[in-house]
Amino acid sequence: QVQVMESGDTLVQAGGSLKLSCRASGLEPGGAYAMGWFRQAPGKEREGIASISWSGGSRVYADSVKARFKISRDNTLDTLYLQMNNLVPEDTATYYCVLGPFTTDVRELAFISPRGQGTQVTVSS
C-alpha cells in the first residue's frame, strides 16, 4: 500500500522561507507517477497548488503561489519537495502531497485522497 510521510509541522514568520518534503513508500518498482501538493486552510476548501510530472520536466502552479513556490522531486529517494519563499499569513494551511496522473489543472489535485497526515504550516505576521 502506498503511503507518504510529510515533513513536520512548522511555524515561520512572514517573509520567510520553508521547504517541505514528502517521501513515498510502498511504490511499485519501475512505476512512473506524477506528484503534487494541495493545501487546506482552516474553514476553507482544499486548494491544489503545484503539480510535477514523473521526469520533473513539467511543472504547473496555482496563480496564488506561482511566483513564490517551487516544486521538485528526487526519484532516487521517492521524495517530493516544495520550496516556499516569501511566505505570507495566507499561506497558513495544512499541506498534503499526493500521487496521481500529471495534470495541467492543479485544481484537480484537491480531489485526490491524501495518503499522509499532512504538514501544518503556520505563517505569523
Side-chain angles (χ1 to χ4, degrees):
Q1 183 177 0
V2 176
Q3 295 182 322
V4 299
M5 179 173 292
E6 293 113 339
S7 47
D9 299 346
T10 302
L11 171 66
V12 62
Q13 288 187 332
S17 297
L18 181 65
K19 188 172 186 177
L20 303 183
S21 65
C22 167
R23 183 165 188 173
S25 61
L27 300 169
E28 291 188 5
Y33 48 92
M35 299 185 77
W37 295 91
F38 75 81
R39 65 186 181 184
Q40 187 165 25
K44 295 189 176 181
E45 295 184 349
R46 293 179 179 181
E47 178 190 16
I49 58 173
S51 178
I52 187 169
S53 62
W54 162 251
S55 68
S58 297
R59 311 179 194 196
V60 183
Y61 299 92
D63 289 343
S64 59
V65 306
K66 184 179 297 184
R68 301 181 295 120
F69 291 8
K70 181 179 180 181
I71 189 171
S72 62
R73 64 190 297 167
D74 184 339
N75 291 338
T76 65
L77 299 176
D78 291 328
T79 300
L80 177 72
Y81 302 99
L82 185 67
Q83 177 67 47
M84 305 188 293
N85 299 322
N86 194 21
L87 286 160
V88 297
E90 291 73 23
D91 294 319
T92 295
T94 300
Y95 287 72
Y96 299 88
C97 72
V98 292
L99 288 76
F102 178 70
T103 177
T104 57
D105 185 349
V106 292
R107 294 174 297 178
E108 296 179 359
L109 297 173
F111 298 97
I112 300 176
S113 295
R115 297 179 183 268
Q117 298 300 311
T119 297
Q120 174 64 46
V121 174
T122 304
V123 183
S124 63
S125 58

